[in-house]
C-alpha cells in the first residue's frame, strides 16, 4: 500500500436540498457552516428536472409522500430547485463569508449553468458518474476541481471514469469519493476499506481521495481520514426532524462543528516523534523514570 501523506482535512457541509426550497434558509445554512461549524466548503445541488426525469417519473407520486413538497415527484423536485441566478447569489454570499461554494450537477444543462459561475469545484453525484458526455464536457470546458462520488458504481465503471479523465489530461484535477449510497447507511455497509482500495489504486493518478458519508455519528469520518481520505463530505441540516429525505442522514450544526474539530485534532496528532524524548516528556522522565539505587 502506498504511504499516506496526510493533507490538512477539508470538510464539505453538503446542504443539498436541506434548505427546503427556502432561499433565506440556504443563507442561514451557509452562515452557520462557516461561523459556528468552521466548515471549509458548502455544497448545494442543481437539477434540470425535465431533462433528468422521464415524463413518467416526473408525473409519478413521490415514493414517500410525507417527504414530498408537491403532488408529483416532478413538482417536489421543482419546489426544492434554485435558479441559476439564485445559485449566483449563493456563491456571492459564500465569497463574503470566505467559505467555498460548490454544487453537485445532475445533468448537462445544470453542469453548464454552474460552470458559468466558475466555482472552485463541481461535484458529480454517484447517480450521474456514468454520464460520460457531461463528464467530457466538464473536462473540456471547466477548469476547477471535479469531484466524483463512486457510490453504486462497479469497478469497471470506475475504471472507465478514471480513463476518461486521464485521456483528457484532467486526472490531476479529479477527486474521487468512497461512498455507499443509502440514507442513512448502517455501519456494516459503510465499507471504510474502500478508502484504502482507492488510495492503493489511484492515489498516484488522481488529485485526491475523499469520503462521502451517509451514516449516523462522526466517529467513522476520522477513521476515513486516517485511511487516506483528506476531504470529508457530510450532509448537513439545521434540524434533523425537518421534512425531507436527507435530514435523517445529516449532521446538525454541533455535529458538524465537532467533526471538524476532531479531524483537525487528528491531523495535528498524525506525526512521528521529532526526537526520542520530547521536551514535554523530559520533565516527567526526570521525575518518574525508574532509577537504580
Amino acid at each position: 500500500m502506498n504511504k499516506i501523506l496526510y493533507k490538512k482535512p477539508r470538510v464539505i457541509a453538503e446542504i443539498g436540498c436541506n434548505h427546503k426550497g427556502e432561499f433565506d434558509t440556504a443563507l442561514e445554512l451557509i452562515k452557520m457552516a462557516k461561523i459556528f461549524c468552521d466548515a471549509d466548503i458548502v455544497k448545494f445541488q442543481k437539477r434540470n428536472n425535465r431533462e433528468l426525469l422521464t415524463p413518467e417519473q416526473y408525473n409519478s407520486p413521490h415514493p414517500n409522500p410525507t417527504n414530498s413538497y408537491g403532488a408529483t415527484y416532478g413538482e417536489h423536485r421543482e419546489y426544492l430547485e434554485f435558479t441559476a441566478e439564485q445559485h449566483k447569489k449563493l456563491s456571492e454570499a459564500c465569497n463574503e463569508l470566505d467559505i467555498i461554494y460548490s454544487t453537485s450537477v445532475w445533468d448537462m444543462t445544470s453542469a453548464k449553468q454552474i460552470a458559468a459561475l466558475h466555482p472552485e469545484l463541481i461535484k458529480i453525484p454517484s447517480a450521474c458518474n456514468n454520464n460520460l458526455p457531461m463528464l467530457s464536457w466538464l473536462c473540456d470546458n471547466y477548469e476547477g476541481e471535479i469531484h466524483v462520488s463512486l457510490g453504486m458504481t462497479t469497478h469497471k465503471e470506475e475504471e472507465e471514469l478514471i480513463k476518461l479523465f486521464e485521456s483528457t489530461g484532467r486526472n490531476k484535477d479529479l477527486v474521487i469519493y468512497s461512498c455507499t449510497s443509502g440514507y442513512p447507511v448502517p455501519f456494516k455497509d459503510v465499507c471504510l476499506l474502500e478508502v484504502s482500495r482507492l488510495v492503493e489504486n489511484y492515489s498516484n493518478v488522481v488529485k485526491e481521495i475523499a469520503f462521502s458519508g451517509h451514516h449516523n455519528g462522526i466517529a467513522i469520518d476520522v477513521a476515513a481520514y486516517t485511511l487516506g481520505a483528506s476531504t470529508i463530505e457530510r450532509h448537513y441540516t439545521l434540524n434533523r426532524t425537518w421534512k425531507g429525505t436527507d435530514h435523517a442522514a445529516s449532521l446538525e450544526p454541533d455535529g458538524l462543528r465537532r467533526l471538524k474539530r476532531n479531524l483537525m485534532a487528528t491531523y495535528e496528532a498524525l506525526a512521528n516523534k521529532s526526537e526520542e524524548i520530547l521536551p514535554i516528556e523530559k520533565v516527567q522522565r526526570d521525575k518518574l523514570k525508574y532509577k537504580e539505587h
Side-chain angles (χ1 to χ4, degrees):
M1 183 173 177
N2 293 324
K3 178 178 173 58
I4 298 172
L5 299 176
Y6 290 103
K7 301 175 183 177
K8 185 177 179 180
R10 293 192 292 183
V11 171
I12 299 179
E14 181 174 2
I15 295 169
C17 299
N18 282 348
H19 47 69
K20 305 183 294 178
E22 301 167 356
F23 192 77
D24 286 346
T25 300
L27 293 175
E28 182 64 24
L29 280 157
I30 293 171
K31 291 177 184 176
M32 186 70 74
K34 170 62 180 181
I35 297 169
F36 181 72
C37 306
D38 194 30
D40 302 284
I41 303 163
V42 293
K43 185 167 73 67
F44 293 91
Q45 295 181 10
K46 188 79 181 81
R47 292 172 169 91
N48 182 313
N49 294 301
R50 292 290 185 182
E51 179 179 338
L52 187 63
L53 301 172
T54 66
E56 182 180 10
Q57 290 171 323
Y58 194 96
N59 294 309
S60 295
H62 191 289
N64 187 346
T66 58
N67 283 326
S68 183
Y69 286 92
T72 66
Y73 186 69
E75 288 182 12
H76 163 76
R77 290 256 51 105
E78 300 290 9
Y79 185 91
L80 295 172
E81 195 63 36
F82 289 147
T83 66
E85 183 60 30
Q86 286 175 308
H87 274 275
K88 181 180 178 182
K89 291 179 180 177
L90 293 172
S91 176
E92 290 169 351
C94 289
N95 288 337
E96 290 176 6
L97 286 167
D98 194 26
I99 188 170
I100 295 171
Y101 159 89
S102 67
T103 296
S104 290
V105 296
W106 288 66
D107 53 79
M108 184 71 84
T109 298
S110 298
K112 291 179 178 180
Q113 289 176 330
I114 297 302
L117 300 178
H118 305 289
E120 289 189 31
L121 66 99
I122 286 176
K123 178 85 182 291
I124 308 300
S126 298
C128 309
N129 66 19
N130 59 340
N131 186 339
L132 299 185
M134 180 173 68
L135 289 170
S136 296
W137 187 90
L138 285 168
C139 286
D140 292 340
N141 296 279
Y142 169 69
E143 296 181 352
E145 289 183 0
I146 302 175
H147 293 221
V148 182
S149 270
L150 298 177
M152 49 185 171
T153 301
T154 67
H155 289 185
K156 182 179 179 182
E157 290 169 334
E158 177 185 292
E159 290 165 6
E160 289 174 353
L161 186 153
I162 300 293
K163 286 177 182 176
L164 169 63
F165 278 81
E166 288 184 298
S167 70
T168 57
R170 294 302 307 279
N171 51 299
K172 293 303 182 182
D173 297 313
L174 174 62
V175 177
I176 55 175
Y177 287 66
S178 171
C179 176
T180 298
S181 299
Y183 304 89
V185 174
F187 295 132
K188 66 182 179 63
D189 290 331
V190 172
C191 302
L192 272 182
L193 292 182
E194 282 295 294
V195 174
S196 300
R197 183 182 68 82
L198 294 177
V199 168
E200 185 171 2
N201 290 344
Y202 299 118
S203 60
N204 293 326
V205 178
V206 304
K207 181 171 186 177
E208 190 178 336
I209 308 300
F211 174 70
S212 179
H214 304 124
H215 53 279
N216 290 320
I218 58 174
I220 283 177
D221 306 273
V222 170
Y225 175 67
T226 62
L227 289 170
S230 45
T231 293
I232 305 294
E233 175 187 83
R234 291 297 305 272
H235 283 265
Y236 153 68
T237 183
L238 297 180
N239 189 331
R240 295 179 71 242
T241 67
W242 275 349
K243 177 179 174 179
T245 306
D246 291 344
H247 295 287
S250 300
L251 296 175
E252 290 183 345
D254 192 54
L256 189 66
R257 180 191 64 81
R258 287 184 288 114
L259 172 61
K260 177 63 185 293
R261 178 201 65 193
N262 292 354
L263 285 167
M264 291 304 298
T266 304
Y267 169 64
E268 190 173 359
L270 281 168
N272 296 112
K273 285 189 173 184
S274 57
E275 51 189 289
E276 291 184 16
I277 307 297
L278 293 174
I280 196 173
E281 295 180 299
K282 288 176 180 175
V283 173
Q284 307 306 323
R285 179 181 173 88
D286 292 341
K287 179 180 177 182
L288 301 173
K289 198 74 170 180
Y290 171 76
K291 302 178 180 66
E292 283 193 40
H293 297 289

